[in-house]
Amino acid sequence: MSVRNFVSVASTLALVAAAQSFIVAPAVAQAAAPTGQADGQVTAPGAVAATADPQSNAAPATDAAAEQDGIGDIVVTAQRREENLQAVPLAITAISGDTLKARGVVDMSRLSEFVPGFSFGQTGSDVRPAMRGVRTANNGVTGDPTIGYFIDGIYQSRTSQAALGFADVATLEVQRGPQGTLYGRNTFGGNIVVTTNAPTHELDYGSTLTVGNYDKVRYEGYINVPLSDSVAVRLVGVTDYAEGWVRNSYNPQADLFDENKQYVRGSVKWDTGGFSATFRADYAKQGGNGNSAFGYKQIGSYIDPGTCQILFNSPNYIYLNERAGNRDGVADCRTTVASPAGPVGTGVDLGIPIDNLGDEFTVSNDYKPFRNLYQASTSLTASYDFGPVAVKSITGYVKYRGRRTTDSDFSASSIAIDQARTHTDTFSQELQLLSSKSQRLEYVVGGFFLNDNLVNGFINQQLPRVIRSSALAAPITGSQNNGTYQFERVKVYSRAVYGQATFHVTDAWSVTGGVRYTHEKKTYLNATAFWYLPATLPSGANPLTLVTIDDPLPGRGVFPARPDNCGTAGVTAATILNSLGQQVASTYCPLEFSQTTWKAGTEYQITDRNLVYASVSTGFRSGGFNAGLAAAQSAPTFDPEKVTAYEIGSKNRFFDNTVQLNLSAFYNRYRDLQESRQIIVGGTTLQTTFNAARARSYGLEAEAIWEPVPELTLGGNLSLLNAKYTDFNNVPLPFGGSILVSDASVTAPTIVNGVTIAGIGQRRIIAPGYSCDPLTGTGGAGQPALSFVCDLSGNNIPHSPKYSGSAYASYKIAIGDESAVIPFVAVAFAGHHDEQSFNDSLAREEPWAKLDASLTYEVNRQLSLVAFVDNITNTKVQTLVSYGGTPLQASYQPPRMYGLRLRFQR
């Protein structure tokens, strides 16, 4: 954004703000005094949270003025009612909306700076959070997230939805550890709960303009208008634009991680007597080039230099783009021993050089991708307070559509394009019966059901080849391969009933117990198409063989009905093959299961400001499907994975409410983990998801705030974590698990477990650092090609740094009656962690630290200007490494970002 445009926009905003203030001021003086708070609103420092929600009957604070100095309270909803954070016996990090605005947080990507042990990963539009040894690995429609995401109580079933409706936030909660009783399915590792500001009975309005490098321009505005004594409305709007911070040196129009987002939300609240209802409707749209698919930057692969073969986890790396078809005719490696690549001295073409090697924020792709995401949702939260009990209903409908493409060869060559689309239609309904907080026995009883219709489509489009390489004087042209298309549909029906009660044995000591029963049913359909080029058209095949679920086309097949003998042992799916024996469609017997989760705990209020607690709880992640013909024949489904979590903790305020220290220690046992395995089907091996692995994690988390004087705030958090697989066997390595090496000293075949793994004059080298054996049933006469599986027991769970945390400091310097300057500085850090379960050396993040800083000038209570720099150190932090074949692909957090933020509020 040019300086002239910036000055123009900023001046316009300031003039509009001033005009609003002048015009509305007389009306403000006559407006009714507020009668309640926005849901989850932060209270004045030292005050107990006041609430207008009938699910909580706690009286508003009447002596807030007596404790203006000190740390303010935050309202959270982790126990399905509004409560003071410090009174809830759970490990929760709660961040106020004001803090999010001051730090410029507009999505989940920076939560690791606030939440102990939280790790953020992203592949394309899909968010992959992790904490306490639980990570989000499967984002497809055949599986489910492991960490729940809720907006105003409405469950979001796809992690890509987390990047859309994030505006005018009152409170953001991260609930660490399983929440299987009060929240249920897919809260296996915890929850991220966003509560937006509800309408209030006070005229209010405000806006924030942010400008920065990469032509960043973000505007967010809101207005809250009371229509009567009982009805109020609130409107929120956001526009966000930025150029991509991953530059494309070949095609400048194809920069990645740009932004082009629009968002609007309207809400109406009606409260009268004991009744309250809030209706919300919003719409979000996100365009631009997007974030590629998985990792956007290739970082190299492994090689055995003597044989020029790929050997996983070898200490030797090769920095080539080895994607299929990317060959420039240049010998990238020369053998020193005889191998399948050829005799000694053979030159092997392994790929083309990786462009912009070592520059994590520059790629060189020819294709300009696109990202088209939109979401429309509505919700109604209604409650009635009868006095001793309150009844609450939460109804939500979410319609999400996503379509994005990527340059699948990751290069300036023209080889292939991938396109993915995801459709989600989610309806949920929850009913709750909540007791009054004034009773000795507090309880919440509820019922929940969810219908989720999911569609996923994937297209691999092959192009006429044009190979461009820095090693070539001119591009090489060639033919193209056949393309594929896959279509999947999953329908989810989930029903649950639950209850949790807390009995106050004494005024200080309480015990809690809860249980939830979930019944779930899923159905699955898929269809496959094959695009044949005329030159490669098999005899008798059509150019396009397609079965479409939505609208079957004449002559292209009929989607198979559910097998008639579902329930019969060994019958799980029906499939359709074309004339070439290729699968074109399949339908599965329904996956149906029931799960009971529970919680037990106790807490003791030592003083009004010191709480200790202990609990044990369980959670689960929903089961799912393995796609494809072979899976349909052998292993079509996998069951839920489960966790049992033990936690002790303490929440404290000391020294006249100037020090807050919250501690939690936990031990989690995971079983039936959904991990990848290989199975044998006919003459081939197939990688599928099985329930096999067991794991455990334990650690300590601390959060602290110190306000020695009202002007100075110091804070930080720390996580110490140990997370490992305890039983994780029979795992195939992603590629290059073993190689054959000529060795004349070998005079007899090498046989392991009855399988010949190397012949006379050869020896087999297994990937360094792994204990591997031949997969049973492979390697013999008439059997499929030799395949190896390895034991990963004892490996670190991905995205689980041994230590991580942050620290911050701010100081308010008064320069007038209303004006002040506030410098702020924060540092975030993390230790070594692995990014894949194989713990290989390239997929490993080394220790890192980065620094943020800002300087705020408060003109008065209404107007402030913030100058900020995020990631001053320009630290390159990997968020994910993925195996899309060789080489490995990585994603990174943004580089240094800086700008100005102008805020106005009534």
Side-chain angles (χ1 to χ4, degrees), residues 661-679:
L661 178 63
N662 294 344
L663 302 170
S664 60
F666 63 90
Y667 181 88
N668 292 352
R669 289 192 298 109
Y670 307 112
R671 60 194 183 281
D672 297 331
L673 286 184
Q674 299 167 7
E675 299 284 355
S676 294
R677 294 289 187 277
Q678 276 193 343
I679 59 174

Side-chain angles (χ1 to χ4, degrees), residues 468-515:
R468 302 180 180 96
S469 167
S470 59
L472 293 172
I476 300 175
T477 60
S479 60
Q480 66 189 95
N481 289 333
N482 300 318
T484 59
Y485 167 77
Q486 185 173 7
F487 186 96
E488 299 174 297
R489 169 170 287 169
V490 177
K491 292 187 177 183
V492 181
Y493 309 89
S494 183
R495 308 291 185 266
V497 292
Y498 63 90
Q500 181 169 301
T502 297
F503 181 68
H504 300 284
V505 181
T506 68
D507 290 342
W509 177 36
S510 304
V511 293
T512 297
V515 64

Side-chain angles (χ1 to χ4, degrees), residues 587-658:
T587 181
Y588 286 57
C589 293
L591 170 63
E592 194 167 357
F593 60 86
S594 299
Q595 193 71 40
T596 300
T597 48
W598 52 268
K599 177 179 179 178
T602 184
E603 60 187 279
Y604 191 82
Q605 196 79 46
I606 301 174
T607 72
D608 290 344
R609 293 178 177 168
N610 302 97
L611 171 73
V612 293
Y613 65 89
S615 67
V616 56
S617 60
T618 64
F620 79 98
R621 177 191 183 193
S622 184
F625 299 94
N626 285 309
L629 170 63
Q633 291 178 334
S634 180
T637 64
F638 48 89
D639 293 328
E641 57 184 11
K642 309 175 189 68
V643 57
T644 301
Y646 306 85
E647 182 174 321
I648 58 174
S650 177
K651 296 189 173 183
N652 305 277
R653 293 276 180 89
F654 302 107
F655 305 112
D656 296 327
N657 201 42
T658 62

Side-chain angles (χ1 to χ4, degrees), residues 428-632:
S428 62
Q429 174 64 55
E430 186 163 8
L431 294 173
Q432 298 173 349
L433 181 69
L434 301 107
S435 67
S436 167
K437 286 282 290 183
S438 61
Q439 300 176 3
R440 184 169 292 276
L441 178 65
E442 297 176 22
Y443 57 84
V444 54
V445 178
F448 173 84
F449 74 85
L450 174 140
N451 288 351
D452 205 5
N453 292 315
L454 306 167
V455 172
N456 181 71
F458 176 80
I459 297 173
N460 174 254
Q461 179 182 351
Q462 295 289 318
L463 306 173
R465 291 186 180 177
V466 180
I467 309 301
R468 302 180 180 96
S469 167
S470 59
L472 293 172
I476 300 175
T477 60
S479 60
Q480 66 189 95
N481 289 333
N482 300 318
T484 59
Y485 167 77
Q486 185 173 7
F487 186 96
E488 299 174 297
R489 169 170 287 169
V490 177
K491 292 187 177 183
V492 181
Y493 309 89
S494 183
R495 308 291 185 266
V497 292
Y498 63 90
Q500 181 169 301
T502 297
F503 181 68
H504 300 284
V505 181
T506 68
D507 290 342
W509 177 36
S510 304
V511 293
T512 297
V515 64
R516 186 184 190 105
Y517 174 80
T518 301
H519 181 79
E520 191 152 307
K521 180 180 179 180
K522 292 184 175 183
T523 61
Y524 176 72
L525 308 171
N526 79 10
T528 302
F530 302 93
W531 277 278
Y532 296 108
L533 301 174
T536 60
L537 188 65
S539 176
N542 295 321
L544 176 65
T545 304
L546 173 64
V547 176
T548 308
I549 296 174
D550 289 327
D551 184 20
L553 300 177
R556 293 184 181 175
V558 179
F559 201 86
R562 194 183 78 174
D564 293 333
N565 48 354
C566 278
T568 304
V571 176
T572 53
T575 62
I576 286 182
L577 307 182
N578 64 14
S579 60
L580 303 177
Q582 296 167 315
Q583 177 195 1
V584 292
S586 64
T587 181
Y588 286 57
C589 293
L591 170 63
E592 194 167 357
F593 60 86
S594 299
Q595 193 71 40
T596 300
T597 48
W598 52 268
K599 177 179 179 178
T602 184
E603 60 187 279
Y604 191 82
Q605 196 79 46
I606 301 174
T607 72
D608 290 344
R609 293 178 177 168
N610 302 97
L611 171 73
V612 293
Y613 65 89
S615 67
V616 56
S617 60
T618 64
F620 79 98
R621 177 191 183 193
S622 184
F625 299 94
N626 285 309
L629 170 63

Side-chain angles (χ1 to χ4, degrees), residues 106-108 122 125-127 149 151 158-166 259 261 284 286 291 371 373:
V106 295
D107 54 36
M108 289 169 47
Q122 185 172 10
S125 300
D126 297 320
V127 175
Y149 185 65
I151 299 180
R158 300 295 100 188
T159 62
S160 52
Q161 296 171 273
L164 296 176
F166 199 100
E259 188 58 272
K261 181 191 298 182
Q286 188 176 30
N291 312 341
R371 170 186 58 193
L373 312 178

Side-chain angles (χ1 to χ4, degrees), residues 733-749:
L733 296 180
F735 52 85
S738 68
I739 62 173
L740 279 173
V741 176
S742 297
D743 187 345
S745 65
V746 178
T747 58

Side-chain angles (χ1 to χ4, degrees), residues 118-141:
F118 185 92
S119 175
F120 175 83
Q122 185 172 10
T123 56
S125 300
D126 297 320
V127 175
R128 298 176 181 268
M131 54 185 170
R132 292 189 173 183
V134 173
R135 90 266 193 209
T136 304
N138 184 355
N139 280 323
V141 299

